[in-house]
Amino acid sequence: MGTKRSASYYVLSAVFAVFLLFLYGPMICVYLLSFQGPEGGMSFPMRGFSLTWFETLFTAGGRGVGDIHNSFVRSLRLGAIVALLTMLIGLAVGMSFRRRYPGGNFVFYSAIISMIVPGIFVGFGISLTLNMLGMRPEWWYSGIGAQLTWSLPFAMLIMFIILGRMDKSYEEAATDLGASSFQRFQYVILPLILPGVIGMFMAGFTSSYEESARAGLNIGTGNTMPMELTGLLGAATTPVMFAVGTLTTLFMFTLVITTLLASWSLAKRRQLRLSAQHA
Amino acid sequence: MSSSMTMSPRAASWLQATPFTLIMTCLVMVPLAIILAVSFMDYGFAEIIPEFYLGNWTDLFRSSLTLDTYRTVFKQLAVVWTITLLLGFTISYYLIFHVRSNMWRAIFLAACAIPFWTSGPIRMISWVPLLGREGIVNQALLGMGIVDQPISWLLYSEFSVIVVYVNMLTMAMAGPIANSMAKISPSIIQAARDQGASEWQVIQEVIIPLIKPGIVVGTIFIITAVMGDGFLVRAMSGNQMNTPAVAIMNEINAFQYPPAAAKSVVLLLIVLGMVGLLLRFVDIRKELAR
């Protein structure tokens, strides 16, 4: 507001800087302390720098590291499937909302309920339902299903926002030019909403990777990463947990950057191809 | 989608919504109804006996523990809500109205999101080197001679529960508020400024009334997160605090499903009641499409 910076600008900048410190302070501790020397503990000072705690993670029979390897693989597998299903089912339900239809409000508000009901109740409810049916929980149906109740509402909201902002005139132009509904979807709608579709995949993966309240009781045998880490919290006495933190953060960082780059180049290529076709 | 050529638009919409609706119905609605049903059933050792039984409910209302757990969680909710609202508002206001370059705004927003790429349990344990007995805060206080013994209530206490909640939930409040603020037309604010309104008057008279939907959505996130969480409270209080969600988790772990179900119904009704009350003030479906 105004061209000259007011005093409030500097006060608010300082508040924001302190907030960033509050967010990053603990994280920086994790990254630094994961390189703690072999004699060092979970607090500062650093007693030398070493890769001891990373080695502990990768050598068999690690001291108090639980089943990190397998739980990580399980989380990745679960996350990938949940992400793919979230993208497909989310895209379908999003497309359904492009017209008003009877029952549409029920679909919308069932998603809102699933979002606001605390996760433990959904997880507990599914587990009781299986119990009543005499079924055993397994990751590939009840685990995936429980996590979809969490990821799908977000996918629906992403589609809602992105389709709501889409300019309808492109589509009408395609219809006027004689495009079939499939062509309209493939050549007009999909390119326009592609960022949202990739967004749904990422939202599906991250919500699954972090989620344990819903999946916890329904995953069957074998913990996922967040469950395994929660179990290890109380027993943690060495910086080995910090090494896990540094590695998993690095993994997420790579994943997010790769997806962003991939979606950017995809959008660019499509644009080039379309303009080549029009030339 | 190709099938809509031969299908009425309404049938196409139904078909497209079917997988989603099936999942929401079978995995959310039905299970919640089952919780209600099981709360009226008897139980033995690690098994549910499908006979009508009111004991779970009479135990729940007779126990003084029930009220204690709710007192604890409402206190937590009030503190966390107040702090995240003030902090979330301040941050959003700064990012939307004071940061002028779009690029810096995007960079700052990304900077606020990156710490959340680290797994939740790791972010909880990351407070040990800061707030623990040998943590940085205690070392600093001792070094400056402010205290002569390490403060023990910094970690595994009510205090650390609040700190970690604020750390994890402030962005959940700031996000919807910033979204509402971004929709305010700059000309409205300019008009108020031209009339001689001070920055504080603009906030009070123009901005706050226009961001109510954002505040409502953020508040809903905070309510469900705090009321429904048991993991964070257990970890950060060192298993010393008992909230309704912790009580439910403990009973589930002990395979006492029917009493856990009765407690779940009560907590769920309270959460849904609070959210329903808030939703009367804002039409989310309209807000999203805007």
Side-chain angles (χ1 to χ4, degrees):
Chain A
M1 291 175 222
T3 40
K4 208 168 150 274
R5 291 297 193 188
S6 57
S8 62
Y9 170 77
Y10 297 102
V11 175
L12 289 170
S13 297
V15 172
F16 186 66
V18 172
F19 178 68
L20 281 186
L21 190 69
F22 176 58
L23 281 185
Y24 279 87
M27 298 293 84
I28 292 168
C29 289
V30 166
Y31 307 145
L32 284 178
L33 286 168
S34 62
F35 295 99
Q36 176 75 285
E39 303 300 314
M42 286 179 74
S43 290
F44 289 101
M46 299 284 291
R47 299 186 198 282
F49 276 86
S50 78
L51 294 173
T52 315
W53 308 106
F54 294 96
E55 279 166 33
T56 310
L57 265 182
F58 285 103
T59 48
R63 288 161 282 174
V65 203
D67 194 14
I68 290 283
H69 284 254
N70 290 324
S71 61
F72 183 60
V73 173
R74 278 186 214 111
S75 277
L76 287 187
R77 186 177 59 186
L78 190 66
I81 300 173
V82 168
L84 193 67
L85 290 173
T86 302
M87 189 178 79
L88 294 175
I89 300 171
L91 182 62
V93 77
M95 292 301 289
S96 85
F97 278 119
R98 293 174 64 251
R99 349 177 166 79
R100 291 214 158 261
Y101 60 97
N105 266 331
F106 171 80
V107 178
F108 181 81
Y109 284 103
S110 71
I112 299 296
I113 288 180
S114 183
M115 259 180 124
I116 60 181
V117 167
I120 47 166
F121 299 126
V122 179
F124 182 38
I126 295 174
S127 146
L128 282 180
T129 312
L130 290 177
N131 188 314
M132 296 275 111
L133 294 171
M135 291 160 81
R136 292 183 141 277
E138 294 283 356
W139 73 270
W140 53 267
Y141 72 98
S142 53
I144 289 174
Q147 291 204 320
L148 283 176
T149 64
W150 178 231
S151 63
L152 278 176
F154 289 100
M156 191 198 75
L157 291 190
I158 291 173
M159 284 297 284
F160 222 81
I161 292 169
I162 205 145
L163 285 170
R165 289 182 187 164
M166 196 178 83
D167 189 347
K168 282 236 161 76
S169 59
Y170 289 112
E171 222 187 313
E172 282 157 12
T175 315
D176 291 345
L177 291 169
S180 72
S181 58
F182 188 69
Q183 285 172 322
R184 219 161 55 214
F185 177 76
Q186 193 189 352
Y187 294 113
V188 181
I189 303 173
L190 195 58
L192 285 173
I193 63 170
L194 198 62
V197 176
I198 293 167
M200 284 193 290
F201 186 88
M202 281 310 288
F205 183 83
T206 42
S207 55
S208 158
Y209 182 74
E210 279 284 296
E211 209 277 338
S212 64
R214 291 161 196 249
L217 288 168
N218 302 302
I219 204 86
T221 47
N223 280 349
T224 58
M225 193 75 175
M227 294 163 66
E228 190 70 25
L229 290 177
T230 308
L232 288 172
L233 276 187
T237 50
T238 65
V240 74
M241 284 285 277
F242 297 148
V244 178
T246 303
L247 282 181
T248 49
T249 307
L250 214 60
F251 167 77
M252 278 302 278
F253 196 83
T254 318
L255 193 76
V256 173
I257 299 296
T258 315
T259 325
L260 284 179
L261 287 178
S263 61
W264 180 72
S265 80
L266 205 72
K268 193 151 191 168
R269 244 192 12 227
R270 194 173 260 276
Q271 212 169 27
L272 280 176
R273 205 172 60 215
L274 281 176
S275 53
Q277 275 172 2
H278 285 295
Chain B
M1 327 271 144
S2 61
S3 49
S4 60
M5 276 184 290
T6 53
M7 205 183 273
S8 78
R10 177 184 291 183
S13 274
W14 276 338
L15 197 68
Q16 285 162 345
T18 301
F20 185 88
T21 314
L22 273 179
I23 289 172
M24 290 304 146
T25 311
C26 300
L27 295 171
V28 181
M29 304 298 182
V30 171
L32 292 181
I34 297 273
I35 294 182
L36 181 65
V38 169
S39 74
F40 291 102
M41 289 180 192
D42 203 354
Y43 62 104
F45 178 73
E47 60 165 352
I48 301 167
I49 303 168
E51 279 168 17
F52 184 77
Y53 175 68
L54 270 179
N56 307 312
W57 287 94
T58 50
D59 287 351
L60 179 76
F61 287 113
R62 273 198 204 123
S63 164
S64 62
L65 269 177
T66 310
L67 263 184
D68 287 344
T69 57
Y70 276 98
R71 214 170 283 134
T72 310
V73 84
F74 278 124
K75 198 173 126 196
Q76 264 173 17
L77 181 62
V79 176
V80 172
W81 181 74
T82 311
I83 300 176
T84 53
L85 179 63
L86 291 176
L87 202 52
F89 178 88
T90 313
I91 290 157
S92 314
Y93 179 73
Y94 172 72
L95 289 178
I96 302 293
F97 295 113
H98 277 284
V99 177
R100 288 172 193 165
S101 123
N102 279 331
M103 189 189 77
W104 278 108
R105 193 178 297 135
I107 290 175
F108 282 156
L109 275 172
C112 292
I114 288 170
F116 294 88
W117 291 352
T118 304
S119 193
I122 303 276
R123 273 185 292 142
M124 291 182 201
I125 205 166
S126 70
W127 288 94
V128 172
L130 278 163
L131 300 179
R133 281 187 73 84
E134 287 139 34
I136 291 176
V137 174
N138 266 324
Q139 284 180 23
L141 291 175
L142 283 170
M144 288 186 287
I146 296 172
V147 293
D148 43 56
Q149 260 190 354
I151 306 172
S152 58
W153 54 258
L154 288 177
L155 190 65
Y156 301 132
S157 60
E158 250 178 295
F159 176 76
S160 56
V161 171
I162 299 290
V163 168
V164 179
Y165 266 137
V166 171
N167 184 273
M168 294 207 182
L169 294 177
T170 298
M171 284 317 290
M173 181 64 105
I177 292 182
N179 188 40
S180 283
M181 280 181 179
K183 287 175 185 166
I184 300 177
S185 153
S187 58
I188 299 179
I189 288 168
Q190 196 52 52
R193 298 288 280 183
D194 291 346
Q195 300 282 316
S198 69
E199 186 171 6
W200 183 241
Q201 279 173 321
V202 172
I203 292 177
Q204 267 187 312
E205 307 287 333
V206 182
I207 296 176
I208 290 181
L210 288 173
I211 59 162
K212 271 184 190 146
I215 296 177
V216 167
V217 172
T219 303
I220 291 173
F221 286 147
I222 305 288
I223 289 175
T224 56
V226 173
M227 299 292 284
D229 166 83
F231 296 103
L232 189 151
V233 172
R234 278 215 295 215
M236 294 320 298
S237 76
N239 288 321
Q240 284 173 40
M241 280 176 94
N242 206 5
T243 63
V246 169
I248 292 166
M249 276 169 57
N250 289 341
E251 272 179 342
I252 292 174
N253 290 340
F255 302 108
Q256 295 175 332
Y257 295 142
K263 286 190 177 69
S264 300
V265 172
V266 174
L267 182 51
L268 201 54
L269 286 178
I270 291 175
V271 172
L272 290 180
M274 291 169 85
V275 172
L277 206 66
L278 282 166
L279 285 181
R280 296 182 71 113
F281 297 109
V282 48
D283 182 348
I284 22 173
R285 196 166 166 173
K286 223 172 80 191
E287 276 305 313
L288 281 170
R290 206 150 64 102

